[in-house]
Amino acid sequence: MDLSILLQHKLLITFGAGVLSIFYALFLSYRVLSNPRGDKKMNDISDAIAEGAGAYMKRQYTVVAIIGLIIFVILYFALNPISAIGFGVGAIFSTIAGVFGMSIAVRSNIRTAQAAKKGLAPAFNLAFQGGAVTGLMVAA
């Protein structure tokens, strides 16, 4: 295959890799969430962690949104509207990746603890898949 053809379509290839990463992250999310959640005590602890993570994310993204809006306005007037819109779109998708990744990470913790009852290998595999979701979403 001619390398120059690939180089001519590098934007399309990059976009395709991003889309494939998102689909694979969704697939991993499904696999992680299809595992058992554990007993009542584990669920109580997990629910408390999820509540804390949700409060943290809300607080963090409130502050980040204010700062992001200020940067958006500065970019709009200092550079041009296209740069500001590019920044805004990137910030929105970064937020989506962060919220989705945190949600899967928190929800995979209890499943990893339950899998650890079967051994280290199943727990490690599940933890790795849960963590990979965040990495894939951010990179995509």
Side-chain angles (χ1 to χ4, degrees):
M1 177 174 232
D2 189 13
L3 186 60
S4 64
I5 293 173
L6 289 176
L7 293 176
Q8 291 173 355
H9 299 291
K10 60 186 167 190
L11 185 60
L12 187 60
I13 292 168
T14 303
F15 182 75
V19 170
L20 286 174
S21 294
I22 290 170
F23 280 121
Y24 189 62
L26 292 172
F27 169 73
L28 284 178
S29 299
Y30 171 77
R31 286 191 58 181
V32 167
L33 296 178
S34 67
N35 284 279
R37 286 185 47 114
D39 59 34
K40 180 174 176 5
K41 185 174 180 182
M42 291 169 66
N43 277 285
D44 291 343
I45 294 169
S46 177
D47 292 344
I49 292 170
E51 183 179 342
Y56 166 77
M57 294 295 280
K58 183 177 179 182
R59 175 69 184 233
Q60 178 184 10
Y61 281 116
T62 299
V63 172
V64 169
I66 292 167
I67 294 169
L69 189 58
I70 292 168
I71 293 172
F72 178 87
V73 171
I74 291 170
L75 289 174
Y76 187 88
F77 291 111
L79 295 177
N80 57 50
I82 298 297
S83 296
I85 291 169
F87 170 78
V89 169
I92 289 168
F93 281 111
S94 178
T95 300
I96 292 168
V99 169
F100 186 79
M102 176 69 89
S103 172
I104 296 300
V106 168
R107 292 161 57 190
S108 71
N109 288 340
I110 188 170
R111 290 162 171 87
T112 301
Q114 178 64 25
K117 292 179 178 180
K118 296 178 185 174
L120 185 60
F124 181 76
N125 187 35
L126 192 55
F128 186 81
Q129 289 176 7
V133 170
T134 302
L136 288 166
M137 291 298 282
V138 169

